Amino acid sequence: MTQQLGTPRRRDARDNRAAILRAAATAFSERGRAVDVREIARCAGVGMGTLYRHFPSKDALVETLLIESYAQWVASARRSARSRPTAWDALATFISDALTYQRRDRALLENLAAAATDPRGLSVCRRSLGPLVEELVAAAHAEGTLRSGVTDEDVLGLLAALGKLVELDLPADTVSRCLDITLTGLRHGPALDT
């Protein structure tokens, strides 16, 4: 009997958590971290106490969403990498797709753009993207298409730099040119590695 009485509460708690995450994902992806948690609670149809029972701080809520966003990105990037003809294509596509993810998700954009200066942001970014970037870089080096000396940390830094361009809301053609310059600089070539 006790278990039956507890089941609806657990289901209700799961539903509340899911509603909070949906409302927060929409708000943070559209407007970034500046969104007030009271607005998130209101949009989720829960009280502040319920929100804080699930997420003790705004940072905890943002980190949970970032981890989910990065996980989706990594899963998509792994699928994409398997379909590319070369390791260079997989790496270049991953870097290019980073701009798409950053444009679509303001919280992810802010996290990547701040990764160079905010240790908390860097740790979420590194934990989430680090293993994939390491694999992509190693494969491109093994293939001989990535400029010698380029590390996974370099690529993560470039993602943060490209994020700043998106954050500044520069024209798409400017961002595209910067992406081309970045990829050209990363690509192995006789004149580049001397």
Side-chain angles (χ1 to χ4, degrees):
M1 183 75 168
T2 305
Q3 188 176 11
Q4 289 176 345
L5 290 176
T7 301
R9 245 163 84 184
R10 285 194 296 270
R11 184 177 304 128
D12 186 46
R14 283 193 307 271
D15 291 347
N16 286 341
R17 185 177 195 280
I20 292 165
L21 286 172
R22 277 193 307 276
T26 299
F28 288 140
S29 70
E30 290 173 357
R31 298 193 311 269
R33 291 181 68 112
V35 177
D36 192 300
V37 290
R38 290 175 292 204
E39 181 180 344
I40 292 168
R42 183 183 53 74
C43 289
V46 300
M48 288 301 296
T50 299
L51 187 144
Y52 282 123
R53 268 193 300 282
H54 291 283
F55 303 99
S57 67
K58 183 178 183 178
D59 286 342
L61 177 56
V62 170
E63 185 167 338
T64 299
L65 288 170
L66 283 172
I67 289 167
E68 288 183 8
S69 292
Y70 278 123
Q72 291 170 4
W73 180 9
V74 167
S76 175
R78 284 189 190 285
R79 285 190 302 274
S80 174
R82 285 191 295 270
S83 71
R84 300 292 162 198
T86 67
W88 170 256
D89 289 332
L91 178 62
T93 299
F94 171 76
I95 293 169
S96 178
D97 287 351
L99 296 174
T100 302
Y101 277 92
Q102 291 178 78
R103 279 190 191 101
R104 193 170 51 209
D105 188 333
R106 185 100 184 144
L108 189 71
L109 165 65
E110 290 174 356
N111 180 257
L112 270 169
T117 57
D118 177 8
R120 286 177 303 161
L122 180 59
S123 68
V124 174
C125 175
R126 184 175 283 138
R127 274 194 326 262
S128 302
L129 295 180
L132 172 63
V133 171
E134 191 175 327
E135 291 169 24
L136 293 171
V137 165
H141 275 307
E143 182 181 75
T145 52
L146 183 60
R147 184 178 183 159
S148 65
V150 173
T151 67
D152 50 313
E153 291 296 321
D154 296 331
V155 173
L156 287 171
L158 288 170
L159 293 179
L162 290 169
K164 280 291 187 190
L165 298 176
V166 175
E167 190 176 40
L168 292 171
D169 204 22
L170 295 176
D173 61 328
T174 301
V175 176
S176 181
R177 275 195 313 278
C178 290
L179 174 63
D180 288 343
I181 292 166
T182 299
L183 293 175
T184 300
L186 288 172
R187 186 102 193 227
H188 170 74
L192 296 174
D193 285 337
T194 57

